[in-house]
Amino acid sequence: MNNFTGEIKREIMKNGLENACCKTAALSAFLRTTGSVIRAGDRYGFEFVTESEDVAAFFIEILEQLYGAELKVEQASTDIRRGRDRLVFSCLSDKSLYILGELGIAEREEGEIGFRLDVDQYIVENACCEVAWIKGAFLGSGSCTLPQMEEARSGYHLEIVFSNKFLADDCCRLLALHEVLARCVERKGAFVVYLKSRESISDFLHLVGAEGALRKLNRVADKKDEKNRINRVANCLQRNYDKSVVASVKQIRAIERIDEIVGLSALDPLLSAAAKARLADKEGSLKELAERLHVSKSCLNHRLRKLVKLAEELDGEE
């Protein structure tokens, strides 16, 4: 997991879950995002996959506290290319089906066993359980990235991945109940609930109690805003400079044309002085020239525009 995702998850786990109902909701969401139902003969169980030993330990402890369940390590490997661990744990015992039922994943009707695709409302009956479910889902398949200052296209992004649209829609609904507005998109057969703005991610972090991560988000956002402000000012100055260069070139060409046709001595003394000042300092700013002539910028600009207009009229008479 990336560093910021890890910070959020560690903070969620550090804060813990106080009530059994919240632990049940978080565990249910975790298995819904990273787990699957398994079967051996007539016995049902479940397994889950995670990249984090800390996350695995967190939910294994909850399973032991709530149900006294023992999990078996099925696989522990490292993806060398991606640099990530892959840990697979399984639970296949006489308690497994009971646990799946308690977590709102399995249900028995008329002797038949079925599995829910959506969230059992009993699991999220209380507001605290709604938040715990969201925490469990993020611990299972959530990630969050912040803008990188050196990458212009990078931005804010938080997502939780689900295997079906029912769960994704329920996640959006639970977030909306706590005034966090998320969107859902299908990606490569999965359904992704995502947030793309600083404000919505801030609301999410506050909701799950990741205040340390929220402070980091605000620091990054402030730096990004300051960099954007500096860039806007620099771009504005550059545009103004470009416009002044174009105007200066136009003025110089006009004055040289007047000098060629009638001579600068034929001009009104004030216009003649403005023309000679511009020719004497072709790269000088309007402010610098105005100060030398002891006139205002607007006055000098008016005289230079008159010179440009005069040059156009002289060209028209030829």
Side-chain angles (χ1 to χ4, degrees), residues 153-180:
R153 294 185 179 181
S154 68
Y156 303 97
H157 185 82
L158 183 147
E159 67 176 42
I160 304 174
V161 182
F162 295 92
S163 60
N164 70 68
K165 192 173 188 303
F166 299 101
L167 290 172
D169 287 345
D170 280 340
C171 182
C172 289
R173 178 180 58 80
L174 292 175
L175 286 169
L177 290 175
H178 296 271
E179 300 183 349
V180 179

Side-chain angles (χ1 to χ4, degrees), residues 196 296-297 305:
K196 293 289 287 184
S296 65
K297 281 177 59 178
R305 284 203 302 268

Side-chain angles (χ1 to χ4, degrees), residues 77-137:
S77 60
T78 300
D79 186 330
I80 298 176
R81 184 174 60 85
R82 300 174 65 193
R84 295 180 178 179
D85 294 329
R86 187 175 189 274
L87 307 171
V88 182
F89 296 85
S90 68
C91 179
L92 188 63
S93 67
D94 294 337
K95 296 181 180 179
S96 301
L97 188 57
Y98 167 77
I99 294 171
L100 289 172
E102 289 294 296
L103 295 177
I105 297 173
E107 53 189 1
R108 187 188 295 270
E109 291 185 10
E110 299 179 356
E112 296 292 326
I113 298 172
F115 298 95
R116 298 184 65 107
L117 295 177
D118 60 350
V119 176
D120 188 334
Q121 292 308 299
Y122 174 76
I123 297 295
V124 290
E125 188 174 18
N126 304 312
C128 60
C129 299
E130 293 169 353
V131 176
W133 195 94
I134 293 167
K135 291 179 179 180

Side-chain angles (χ1 to χ4, degrees), residues 83-259:
R84 295 180 178 179
D85 294 329
R86 187 175 189 274
L87 307 171
V88 182
F89 296 85
S90 68
C91 179
L92 188 63
S93 67
D94 294 337
K95 296 181 180 179
S96 301
L97 188 57
Y98 167 77
I99 294 171
L100 289 172
E102 289 294 296
L103 295 177
I105 297 173
E107 53 189 1
R108 187 188 295 270
E109 291 185 10
E110 299 179 356
E112 296 292 326
I113 298 172
F115 298 95
R116 298 184 65 107
L117 295 177
D118 60 350
V119 176
D120 188 334
Q121 292 308 299
Y122 174 76
I123 297 295
V124 290
E125 188 174 18
N126 304 312
C128 60
C129 299
E130 293 169 353
V131 176
W133 195 94
I134 293 167
K135 291 179 179 180
F138 187 82
L139 289 172
S141 65
S143 64
C144 185
T145 55
L146 298 180
Q148 299 297 315
M149 293 303 169
E150 64 276 8
E151 296 180 17
R153 294 185 179 181
S154 68
Y156 303 97
H157 185 82
L158 183 147
E159 67 176 42
I160 304 174
V161 182
F162 295 92
S163 60
N164 70 68
K165 192 173 188 303
F166 299 101
L167 290 172
D169 287 345
D170 280 340
C171 182
C172 289
R173 178 180 58 80
L174 292 175
L175 286 169
L177 290 175
H178 296 271
E179 300 183 349
V180 179
L181 301 181
R183 295 183 178 182
C184 178
V185 65
E186 185 176 2
R187 183 202 298 161
K188 297 180 180 179
F191 293 85
V192 182
V193 173
Y194 68 93
L195 306 170
K196 293 289 287 184
S197 71
R198 169 191 175 181
E199 292 75 16
S200 60
I201 294 175
S202 294
D203 292 340
F204 180 93
L205 296 179
H206 180 69
L207 177 65
V208 300
E211 297 297 332
L214 177 55
R215 287 191 292 272
K216 180 174 181 178
L217 169 66
N218 289 334
R219 288 195 299 270
V220 170
D222 289 343
K223 288 181 180 178
K224 184 176 177 65
D225 290 345
E226 177 63 15
K227 183 177 181 181
N228 288 340
R229 187 191 68 80
I230 292 171
N231 287 339
R232 284 195 299 272
V233 170
N235 290 337
C236 181
L237 291 174
Q238 183 63 46
R239 285 194 297 271
N240 289 339
Y241 175 76
D242 292 342
K243 287 169 63 178
S244 68
V245 169
V246 170
S248 176
V249 170
K250 188 174 183 180
Q251 293 159 8
I252 292 167
R253 288 177 177 173
I255 294 168
E256 289 175 342
R257 187 62 175 153
I258 294 171
D259 192 25

